[in-house]
Amino acid sequence: MTAYPLNNYIYYNESIMKKCNPKARDAALIHELYHKLQFGRMSFLKRALIRIFYKFSPKLRIKIEREAHTETVKRGFGKGTILLNAYVKQRVSPEVWKNEFSKLHLSDKEIRRLMAKDF
């Protein structure tokens, strides 16, 4: 799933969603809805700049994605987030996961730590 800052839509691939565990799919949807909340708090200019810098600034990308994952877990979708991580890991090479995706996603340990907190 993907949510862009300049429109109100969430895009997804139906065939991938059908293969995905329903709890993982729910966590992915909550994650993308949180992005919509993030973007909704920004001015149009900031949303336009985020769209550009997201692609070119790994630091910004990591911050935005990890915040969305954290909020997804806080809202009760921790188990789904763990399942989503597993699903993404099986769809990409171990090298791509290690070098790119692992930085964007919370580890299972981080997710479980958040799940243990009472928000």
Side-chain angles (χ1 to χ4, degrees):
M1 289 187 193
T2 304
Y4 295 108
L6 296 176
N7 67 39
N8 295 323
Y9 302 106
I10 294 174
Y11 300 92
Y12 64 95
N13 181 308
E14 188 175 355
S15 66
I16 290 174
M17 290 299 105
K18 285 181 181 178
K19 295 175 191 172
C20 191
N21 179 296
K23 287 185 180 186
R25 187 178 57 231
D26 291 348
L29 178 59
I30 296 304
H31 173 94
E32 296 306 329
L33 287 170
Y34 187 76
H35 282 316
K36 290 299 174 187
L37 182 63
Q38 285 174 311
F39 302 143
R41 294 175 178 160
M42 299 174 188
S43 69
F44 178 80
L45 178 60
K46 189 169 183 179
R47 288 194 324 261
L49 291 173
I50 287 288
R51 177 74 172 107
I52 294 166
F53 288 113
Y54 181 91
K55 188 170 186 143
F56 299 108
S57 172
K59 204 173 190 177
L60 177 66
R61 179 188 234 167
I62 290 167
K63 180 184 178 297
I64 289 170
E65 292 302 326
R66 290 181 67 84
E67 180 182 323
H69 284 298
T70 298
E71 293 301 322
T72 300
V73 174
K74 284 181 178 181
R75 282 161 173 74
F77 293 87
K79 290 179 183 177
T81 304
I82 290 171
L83 292 168
L84 181 61
N85 280 354
Y87 185 69
V88 173
K89 280 181 189 178
Q90 79 182 34
R91 294 185 48 78
V92 300
S93 72
E95 189 175 298
V96 169
W97 175 263
K98 182 182 174 193
N99 295 331
E100 184 179 343
F101 285 93
S102 68
K103 295 174 180 115
L104 302 173
H105 292 253
L106 299 174
S107 69
D108 289 359
K109 185 177 180 179
E110 290 171 305
I111 294 167
R112 284 191 179 89
R113 195 175 318 126
L114 282 170
M115 288 170 64
K117 290 184 178 181
D118 186 23
F119 295 101

